Amino acid sequence: QSALTQPASVSGSPGQSITISCTGTSSDVGGYNYVSWYQQHPGKAPKLMIYDVSNRPSGVSNRFSGSKSGNTASLTISGLQAEDEADYYCSSYTSSSTLAVFGGGTKLTVL
Amino acid sequence: EVQLVQSGAEVKKPGESLKISCKGSGYSFTSYWIGWVRQMPGKGLEWMGIIYPGDSDTRYSPSFQGQVTISADKSISTAYLQWSSLKASDTAMYYCVRHRRDILTGSFDYWGQGTLVTVSS
């Protein structure tokens, strides 16, 4: 069982917006503004899409945005494109002896 | 350009030892933490541990403490992950990752291509 809880799957049509949630506790998501999101295409290494809750690394499309409320963080992808179809993982810094905890991953299907 | 290039796939038998590598380039290797992340077949990501090559400060996830050893040779900008006695349950893809900043926040901005380790009798 993963430390952070994500929906197993979400789907949307091209052009639509979708949101993926990531629920933790006050010891991780709720306690720090250190939530990250990663995109992983099949057979590829994950790619950092969002860090520190809502910041995009250079080169990441502004269609990707992040937010947080309480113990739940969210990744929103607007203007869905076929290339967005992938697995998405959230992670958070944690006050436990584990540096970072990941969510179980969400499979995004673009219909 | 920042790159993390990992060693190739390995097939080992239970009980054997193994050391895989990750060579960093395009940045100051001693100034960034380097970590390892496991992904078992069809499963999610798990953080294993991290090392600061500048002074070899190493931290482990409790789940992996005592199971693996993380090290680094800053003279050749290479980090390592090793096992002394592999188990079938160690079969997984292993990614080396660069931590984004000097303060540990759990965010990894560059990932290696992954090393697939298969342990089977």
Side-chain angles (χ1 to χ4, degrees):
Chain A
Q1 186 175 356
S2 301
L4 305 180
T5 301
Q6 299 180 234
S9 63
V10 298
S11 63
S13 300
Q16 288 186 328
S17 295
I18 63 95
T19 297
I20 300 172
S21 62
C22 170
T23 302
T25 69
S26 58
S27 296
D28 38 66
V29 174
Y32 307 91
N33 289 323
Y34 293 142
V35 175
S36 301
W37 289 90
Y38 302 90
Q39 176 192 64
Q40 185 178 34
H41 287 111
K44 300 293 188 183
K47 174 187 176 184
L48 179 66
M49 304 302 284
I50 296 286
Y51 66 91
D52 295 353
V53 177
S54 60
N55 294 284
R56 282 187 308 275
S58 175
V60 172
S61 171
N62 60 10
R63 298 186 298 105
F64 292 82
S65 62
S67 62
K68 190 187 83 166
S69 177
N71 294 338
T72 298
S74 299
L75 173 71
T76 297
I77 308 174
S78 59
L80 267 181
Q81 299 180 0
E83 68 205 48
D84 299 331
E85 186 162 291
D87 292 327
Y88 290 85
Y89 294 90
C90 64
S91 76
S92 173
Y93 175 83
T94 172
S95 59
S96 75
S97 52
T98 302
L99 166 65
V101 288
F102 286 95
T106 298
K107 182 176 180 59
L108 168 63
T109 300
V110 180
L111 301 171
Chain B
E1 178 193 9
V2 174
Q3 283 192 307
L4 297 174
V5 179
Q6 299 184 228
S7 50
E10 301 274 2
V11 179
K12 292 289 191 178
K13 290 181 166 47
E16 292 186 332
S17 62
L18 175 64
K19 191 173 188 178
I20 63 176
S21 66
C22 168
K23 183 173 176 60
S25 63
Y27 71 100
S28 174
F29 185 74
T30 54
S31 300
Y32 289 82
W33 293 84
I34 288 281
W36 291 91
V37 173
R38 182 175 80 173
Q39 187 168 37
M40 298 178 78
K43 301 298 184 182
L45 306 171
E46 302 172 88
W47 177 75
M48 302 176 69
I50 200 164
I51 186 167
Y52 191 75
D55 62 7
S56 295
D57 184 6
T58 308
R59 320 279 176 89
Y60 292 94
S61 164
S63 298
F64 294 93
Q65 179 84 48
Q67 308 304 308
V68 298
T69 301
I70 293 171
S71 60
D73 184 341
K74 58 186 179 182
S75 70
I76 55 172
S77 300
T78 301
Y80 302 96
L81 176 65
Q82 70 180 92
W83 295 259
S84 59
S85 181
L86 287 160
K87 302 184 284 288
S89 57
D90 292 318
T91 294
M93 182 71 81
Y94 293 88
Y95 294 101
C96 70
V97 294
R98 191 185 82 161
H99 194 271
R100 196 184 65 81
R101 53 179 297 192
D102 53 348
I103 299 173
L104 289 176
T105 62
S107 181
F108 309 111
D109 58 356
Y110 286 92
W111 293 61
Q113 84 276 20
T115 295
L116 180 62
V117 174
T118 303
V119 184
S120 175
S121 55

